[in-house]
């Protein structure tokens, strides 16, 4: 982020003639310090927001019915689709994220999401799933 501050200092120094009474290094150091401080404050805000989010997630009681329903859907999905789709669904059932499952299968996350979306669409178009157009 110091580089961004330096570039801003160059721009200001060249476009504002009143700054020429100071050494460029003075203007540059101040701009770089402000840029680094702003980046640090933004990172602290991000960490604070992440911490608040994690606290709300931890405070939420687990919903065993929702978890069971998700597990049953994943079991149904495993019985459908091609080999890659079944393996991805199995990894998701074991608790892997989509990114982790994709990495384990040696494919991109985009491809894994595409395969899983196709599998979900196929599931919802069967009699085991429900018709999403009813809602």
């Amino acid at each position: 982020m110091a580089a961004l501050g330096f570039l801003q200092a160059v721009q200001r120094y060249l476009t504002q003639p009143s700054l020429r009474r100071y050494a460029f290094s003075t203007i540059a150091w101040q701009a770089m310090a402000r840029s680094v401080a702003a980046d640090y404050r933004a990172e602290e805000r991000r960490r604070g927001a992440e911490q608040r989010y994690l606290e709300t997630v931890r405070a939420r009681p687990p919903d065993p019915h929702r978890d069971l329903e998700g597990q049953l859907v994943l079991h149904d999905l495993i019985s459908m689709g091609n080999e890659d789709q079944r393996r991805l669904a199995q990894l998701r059932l074991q608790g892997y994220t989509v990114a982790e499952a994709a990495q384990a299968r040696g494919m991109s996350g985009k491809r894994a999401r595409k395969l899983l979306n196709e599998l979900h669409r196929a599931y919802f178009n069967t009699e085991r799933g429900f018709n999403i157009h009813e809602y």
Side-chain angles (χ1 to χ4, degrees), residues 21 37 73:
R21 63 182 168 176
V73 168

Side-chain angles (χ1 to χ4, degrees), residues 6-102:
F6 179 80
L7 293 174
Q8 289 171 338
V10 169
Q11 182 182 21
R12 285 185 60 221
Y13 196 75
L14 294 174
T15 60
Q16 297 177 11
S18 62
L19 294 178
R20 301 236 172 88
R21 63 182 168 176
Y22 305 105
F24 173 73
S25 61
T26 302
I27 304 300
W29 278 110
Q30 288 177 349
M32 289 187 296
R34 280 193 307 270
S35 181
V36 169
D39 188 52
Y40 178 76
R41 285 190 306 271
E43 180 63 19
E44 286 299 311
R45 283 192 304 270
R46 186 197 64 75
R47 284 186 189 152
E50 183 178 354
Q51 185 64 34
R52 287 188 301 278
Y53 170 74
L54 290 174
E55 287 170 1
T56 61
V57 168
R58 287 186 202 121
R60 195 177 311 150
D63 183 358
H65 296 291
R66 182 175 177 203
D67 293 343
L68 178 61
E69 183 178 324
Q71 296 285 325
L72 291 173
V73 168
L74 285 173
H75 278 290
D76 281 347
L77 288 174
I78 288 172
S79 68
M80 302 174 69
N82 62 35
E83 185 66 22
D84 280 337
Q85 290 169 325
R86 283 194 300 272
R87 300 246 183 201
L88 285 170
Q90 285 173 335
L91 290 171
R92 291 288 289 140
L93 185 60
Q94 295 169 11
Y96 285 68
T97 65
V98 174
E100 291 168 341

Side-chain angles (χ1 to χ4, degrees), residues 101-113:
Q103 186 177 17
R105 296 292 302 148
M107 63 179 67
S108 71
K110 185 176 180 179
R111 174 151 172 73
R113 281 188 295 280

